[in-house]
Amino acid sequence: MSIFALQSLAGGFLDEDLQHFNKKFDDWCIQFESYEDAMDIMQTLENEETIDVVEITPLTYPKYFFTNLQGTIYATRQIEDKIICVVEPVIGANFRIAICDLKTKNVKITKTHYKTIPSIEGAFANFGEQL
């Protein structure tokens, strides 16, 4: 399960108006089901040498696939049909682990709070044993 988008070399994803780049990938960004479709559109744009076709997957951009997931994501990994994320729900909050189900699109945030990235690393690394 992946989609393709057009990304500026300076960062940002091409908006549906095909002229502006959004810093974050959201519902307003143009998306394609195949690499070839993205390439066809990219070749029609001015300055196409400054634009790349990128593949977006639940591991590389979980916020797009799981709209209920809020906050800043620092790490992701896949265990079976779940995407496990280290997330900071709001700036300055304690870190949490989010479990995103690929089949149901549900997001569950664990109850445990972690104050620093080093404190969550062990839990994140061994999380597969808990599922």
Side-chain angles (χ1 to χ4, degrees):
M1 163 174 36
S2 60
I3 57 173
F4 297 87
L6 301 178
Q7 186 177 35
S8 166
L9 295 178
F13 298 95
L14 189 62
D15 205 339
E16 64 185 3
D17 65 5
L18 301 179
Q19 294 182 11
H20 301 98
F21 288 89
N22 293 347
K23 183 177 178 183
K24 293 191 175 200
F25 191 82
D26 58 24
D27 291 337
W28 299 106
C29 295
I30 189 167
Q31 57 185 310
F32 305 92
E33 292 183 13
S34 73
Y35 179 83
E36 292 77 20
D37 290 345
M39 284 297 294
D40 288 345
I41 295 298
M42 186 180 78
Q43 291 170 355
T44 67
L45 301 173
E46 293 180 26
N47 302 323
E48 71 176 271
E49 62 278 353
T50 64
I51 301 171
D52 276 336
V53 175
V54 294
E55 181 177 14
I56 299 174
T57 68
L59 279 175
T60 59
Y61 214 90
K63 277 185 143 181
Y64 176 77
F65 287 92
F66 304 100
T67 54
N68 294 338
L69 185 60
Q70 299 296 314
T72 304
I73 299 164
Y74 290 94
T76 61
R77 66 189 268 219
Q78 184 170 356
I79 301 173
E80 297 174 8
D81 61 346
K82 308 226 182 328
I83 302 295
I84 311 303
C85 306
V86 172
V87 72
E88 182 182 27
V90 293
I91 294 174
N94 290 333
F95 297 97
R96 308 276 292 275
I97 293 179
I99 306 163
C100 307
D101 191 307
L102 287 167
K103 291 180 181 175
T104 65
K105 301 288 188 205
N106 290 332
V107 175
K108 178 184 171 195
I109 305 290
T110 60
K111 294 181 182 187
T112 306
H113 296 257
Y114 303 89
K115 292 193 182 279
T116 64
I117 290 287
S119 68
I120 199 171
E121 284 177 344
F124 181 68
N126 297 312
F127 201 79
E129 299 167 6
Q130 299 173 15
L131 290 179

